[in-house]
Amino acid sequence: MKGHQNVVNAIDTLRRPGSLSELVVSGSDDFTVKLWDDRVRNFVASYELDYQITSVGFSRGAFLGDYVFFGGLDNSIKALNLKKNQIEFALIGHMDTVTGLSVS
């Protein structure tokens, strides 16, 4: 899957309920978070930020993929609501780059 213009720093996958297909989210030094559909092998959404993205993760459990969380050089974690197609909230307080993320 090609689409980023710079180094990809993080990916996560989410299997669709009742399906064999997966969604993939990626974060890159090109200042974007991209959402990919493995059925079409291309990104289906791209979100531009003002900084490099170093970590990404789908929400699981209660939200079941309604959110993608991502972190980067701005030292925060943001929650992208996939249903509303917008950043809904941020988790702030880190003193340095968020380099890893696991959501459950």
Side-chain angles (χ1 to χ4, degrees), residues 7 15-16 28 32 36-37 44 46 51 54 59-60 62 68 71 75-76 81 84 87 95 100 102:
V7 174
R15 185 166 308 274
R16 291 184 177 93
S28 170
T32 64
W36 307 78
D37 184 331
V44 293
S46 183
Y51 51 89
T54 54
S59 63
R60 289 171 170 78
V68 167
N75 304 344
S76 71
N81 185 319
K84 295 180 180 178
I87 295 173
M95 301 305 288
S102 178

Side-chain angles (χ1 to χ4, degrees), residues 41-61:
R41 296 204 172 265
N42 203 353
F43 64 90
V44 293
S46 183
Y47 306 93
E48 291 190 33
L49 289 299
D50 295 328
Y51 51 89
Q52 290 98 332
I53 306 303
T54 54
S55 57
V56 295
F58 280 106
S59 63
R60 289 171 170 78

Side-chain angles (χ1 to χ4, degrees), residues 13-90:
T13 61
L14 179 70
R15 185 166 308 274
R16 291 184 177 93
S19 173
L20 296 177
S21 65
E22 288 185 319
L23 292 174
V24 177
V25 63
S26 59
S28 170
D29 278 354
D30 66 6
F31 299 14
T32 64
V33 172
K34 292 189 185 301
L35 186 64
W36 307 78
D37 184 331
D38 75 338
R39 296 174 296 183
V40 296
R41 296 204 172 265
N42 203 353
F43 64 90
V44 293
S46 183
Y47 306 93
E48 291 190 33
L49 289 299
D50 295 328
Y51 51 89
Q52 290 98 332
I53 306 303
T54 54
S55 57
V56 295
F58 280 106
S59 63
R60 289 171 170 78
F63 294 123
L64 198 59
D66 291 346
Y67 287 88
V68 167
F69 291 87
F70 60 89
L73 295 184
D74 76 335
N75 304 344
S76 71
I77 299 170
K78 294 195 173 60
L80 173 65
N81 185 319
L82 296 174
K83 289 184 177 179
K84 295 180 180 178
N85 203 29
Q86 66 186 25
I87 295 173
E88 197 160 284
F89 60 90

